[in-house]
Amino acid sequence: NNPQRYIDDFIEAGADIITIHYEAERHLDRAISYIKSKGVKAAVALNPATPVETLSCILDQADMFLIMSVNPGFGGQKFIPYTVEKIKKLRKMLDDAGLKTDIQVDGGVTAANVRTLIEAGANVFVAGSAVFKNDAAANTKEFIEIFKEYENR
C-alpha cells in the first residue's frame, strides 16, 4: 500500500523511470505528477485482468505503460495469451491520441512470442527466465536477432 512513500528513495538510488501499479495507487495522477516533478519518467503497470480502458484518464501523463502478462510475484510463469489483445487496444488508444508512449511487457516473454508482442504494439520487453535459463549468451543473441528484424519499421 501507498507506493508513493518509496518514490524519493528510488530517485535517490538513481532511478530514471519509476513504475507504479495502477491497482496499488489510489491517487495515480498525483503520483505520476510527483515523479515527473522530480525530473524522472513515470510509468504505470497494469495487472493481467485490469482493462486498459482504465488508463484513459492518464493516457497523456505517463511516459510508459507496462502490461503485465503474468500475475506479479515470481519468475518463470507462463505467458497469459489474452494480454496480447490488451497491448493491441492500448497501442490503438495511444495512436488515436497521437501519442508515441512506450508499451512494456513483463512476464513470460520469450523468443517464441516476442514477435507477436512487437506486432501487437509493444516496444520494451522484460525477459528473465527466457534469457538466463541455460545459455544466457545464446538466448540474448536470439532476442537481438529478432529485434533487428524490426529495426526499420
Side-chain angles (χ1 to χ4, degrees), residues 4-59:
Q4 283 192 59
R5 70 179 186 258
Y6 299 110
I7 292 171
D8 288 327
D9 293 335
F10 281 110
I11 292 170
E12 190 175 312
D16 56 6
I17 186 165
I18 296 175
T19 304
I20 294 184
H21 271 265
Y22 172 88
E23 300 84 0
E25 180 55 65
R26 286 179 16 145
H27 303 292
L28 193 56
D29 52 351
R30 182 186 310 161
I32 292 169
S33 292
Y34 182 75
I35 291 166
K36 293 180 91 158
S37 77
K38 297 294 184 174
V40 173
K41 291 183 178 183
V44 176
L46 283 184
N47 284 337
T50 304
V52 294
E53 291 80 7
T54 61
L55 300 173
S56 63
C57 290
I58 58 155
L59 210 58

Side-chain angles (χ1 to χ4, degrees), residues 52-95:
V52 294
E53 291 80 7
T54 61
L55 300 173
S56 63
C57 290
I58 58 155
L59 210 58
D60 63 345
Q61 295 177 40
D63 297 294
M64 182 172 72
F65 293 104
L66 166 56
I67 301 298
M68 294 298 301
S69 46
V70 299
N71 289 297
F74 60 92
Q77 296 181 62
K78 188 171 170 65
F79 182 84
I80 298 172
Y82 68 75
T83 58
V84 173
E85 289 306 313
K86 289 180 63 174
I87 296 164
K88 289 178 183 177
K89 282 183 188 177
L90 179 55
R91 179 53 66 201
K92 182 170 180 358
M93 290 168 61
L94 292 166
D95 288 349

